[in-house]
């Protein structure tokens, strides 16, 4: 338990150093510990997969876990598309930042915000579904899609599989829609590569921001304590990068580079227009 928490906040020496901790400690402890917490706190994205097929039933099991997530008004305005065809994965990889792990993973799940089903039902019953044209319905669908996808991630990890999200599936949404034969009012929100993790990848948990920068009580208050918490994160993420033999860069620098402007958005700055073309009015 202590080790999982220390790793999550980068307070020890990382998984490579079993003799940690050697830095600041948490000033709280969980009321209990259990396998669910252990699994959730052990999450790390996997980008290197073994050349080993998945057993039967994986897409179905992950879909069942996904469908077990809550859904706003139980509208269930999402779907998931399982892609295993190597050529289709290769084409989708090219559309999604040419990320090699998409080709390597035996399974690519594409999580779809799907208003088609409900619009079809509305048409069949000659009932209006005008609320679906509003930003609120799009946001609701995106939230539901994300909750479903994350349940699937946890389920995959519980099976010993590894997964990584693919936000880059939104780099060229219209071409992705054409590749997947998506009808109007359906858009890929995020992809997810799933496979057996390569044990040689030396993966470890990536530390997150200190809770002081994230968890507020009663009301929101940004004070020097929050600023200090963000600053304390930079050396922890750099230590992680060093252990992973990655180029070292402060989190603040990374995050500000990623959010600098349209040029740092990998083509996604035109998303509003593209969504219009896919049928979403976003009123
Ligand atoms: C919505 C979403 C989209 C993401 N897209 C990508 C992606 O396109 N490529 C990638 O390598 N990682 C992607 N990631 C993974 C994040 O980089 C990763 O979760 C983050 O760096 C934290 O690392 P961890 O998951 O190992 O804790 C994405 C994660 C999320 C939640």
């Amino acid at each position: 338990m202590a080790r999982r928490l220390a790793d999550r906040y980068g307070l020890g020496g990382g998984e490579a150093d079993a003799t940690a901790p050697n830095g600041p400690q948490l000033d709280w402890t969980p009321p209990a510990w259990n396998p669910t917490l252990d699994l959730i706190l052990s999450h790390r994205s996997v980008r290197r997969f073994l050349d080993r097929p998945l057993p039967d039933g994986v897409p179905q099991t992950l879909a069942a876990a996904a469908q077990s997530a809550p859904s706003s008004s139980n509208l269930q305005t999402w779907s998931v598309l399982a892609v295993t065809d190597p050529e289709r994965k290769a084409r989708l990889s090219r559309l999604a930042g040419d990320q090699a792990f998409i080709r390597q993973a035996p399974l690519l799940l594409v999580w779809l915000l799907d208003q088609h089903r409900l619009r079809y039902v509305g048409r069949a019953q000659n009932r209006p579904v005008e609320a679906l044209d509003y930003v609120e319905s799009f946001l609701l669908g995106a939230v539901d899609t994300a909750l479903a996808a994350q349940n699937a991630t946890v389920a995959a990890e519980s099976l010993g599989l590894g997964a990584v999200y693919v936000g880059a599936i939104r780099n060229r949404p219209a071409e992705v829609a054409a590749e997947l034969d998506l009808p109007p009012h359906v858009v890929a929100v995020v992809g997810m590569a799933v496979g057996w993790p390569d044990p040689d990848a030396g993966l470890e948990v990536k530390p997150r921001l200190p809770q002081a920068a994230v968890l507020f009580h009663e009301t929101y208050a940004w004070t020097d304590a929050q600023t200090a918490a963000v600053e304390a994160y930079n050396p922890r993420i750099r230590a992680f990068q060093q252990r992973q033999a990655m180029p070292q860069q402060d989190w603040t620098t990374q995050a500000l580079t990623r959010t600098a402007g349209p040029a740092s958005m990998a083509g996604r700055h035109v998303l509003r227009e593209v969504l219009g073309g896919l049928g979403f009015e976003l009123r």
Side-chain angles (χ1 to χ4, degrees), residues 8 43-45 47 96 99 101 164-170 190 204-206 208 268:
R8 178 49 69 209
H43 160 79
R44 72 273 183 283
S45 292
R47 298 181 180 82
Q99 301 187 86
F101 59 74
V164 60
Y165 281 99
V166 186
I169 203 85
R170 298 190 305 276
V190 74
E204 61 172 285
V205 160
K206 187 186 284 186
R208 294 295 196 265
R268 297 180 219 168

Side-chain angles (χ1 to χ4, degrees), residues 83-206:
V83 181
T84 55
D85 174 45
E87 287 174 12
R88 177 165 288 117
K89 277 198 293 110
R91 288 194 295 276
L92 287 166
S93 161
R94 281 193 288 280
L95 294 175
D98 208 19
Q99 301 187 86
F101 59 74
I102 300 175
R103 295 187 291 277
Q104 205 183 37
L107 173 65
L108 175 71
L109 295 175
V110 185
W111 297 94
L112 306 167
L113 189 162
D114 184 353
Q115 294 184 346
H116 173 78
R117 187 168 42 238
L118 204 42
R119 287 176 187 272
Y120 172 85
V121 172
R123 258 198 317 278
Q125 299 196 11
N126 205 18
R127 299 267 304 268
V129 287
E130 209 186 314
L132 293 178
D133 292 334
Y134 287 81
V135 170
E136 158 59 15
S137 292
F138 189 86
L139 184 59
L140 178 160
V143 170
D144 273 22
T145 307
L147 296 179
Q150 180 55 21
N151 255 23
T153 299
V154 174
E157 291 172 352
S158 78
L159 294 169
L161 296 166
V164 60
Y165 281 99
V166 186
I169 203 85
R170 298 190 305 276
N171 288 3
R172 291 156 75 177
E175 284 148 287
V176 168
E179 172 65 41
L180 299 175
D181 278 343
L182 303 185
H185 306 110
V186 182
V187 64
V189 171
V190 74
M192 183 185 289
V194 181
W196 296 108
D198 180 346
D200 295 335
L203 289 175
E204 61 172 285
V205 160
K206 187 186 284 186

